[in-house]
Amino acid sequence: GLRKAAKNIEYMIKQFEQSYSVRDKQDVLAMCALQFASQVEQKTIDKKNVSEHVEVKLKELDELLHSHLNS
């Protein structure tokens, strides 16, 4: 996992250095940290949305099953 993360960081550093005129390595590392943090946050938001959607669908299915079983 650490090796994969290191490769991702190296790749991201190269991308930032090519895209922006960055003079300080700390700036590039800060940009990488911000990028990774935003990706984690987005995944958390996406998982929450999926969980909420699944919960709604399960409640609908439960109500449907109850209505058929009680008929």
Side-chain angles (χ1 to χ4, degrees), residues 20-51:
Y20 305 101
S21 60
V22 182
R23 291 175 281 179
D24 191 2
K25 199 70 156 183
Q26 283 185 329
D27 291 343
V28 176
L29 292 174
M31 293 166 73
C32 288
L34 182 59
Q35 181 75 20
F36 279 117
S38 68
Q39 289 172 357
V40 168
E41 280 302 314
Q42 188 60 51
K43 286 180 183 179
T44 301
I45 291 168
D46 292 345
K47 283 182 183 180
K48 182 180 177 189
N49 289 340
V50 167
S51 294

Side-chain angles (χ1 to χ4, degrees), residues 53-68:
H53 179 72
V54 167
E55 186 176 340
V56 166
K57 291 297 181 185
L58 286 173
K59 284 180 181 178
E60 290 173 358
L61 181 60
D62 186 51
E63 291 171 4
L64 183 62
L65 286 171
H66 277 283
S67 70
H68 283 292

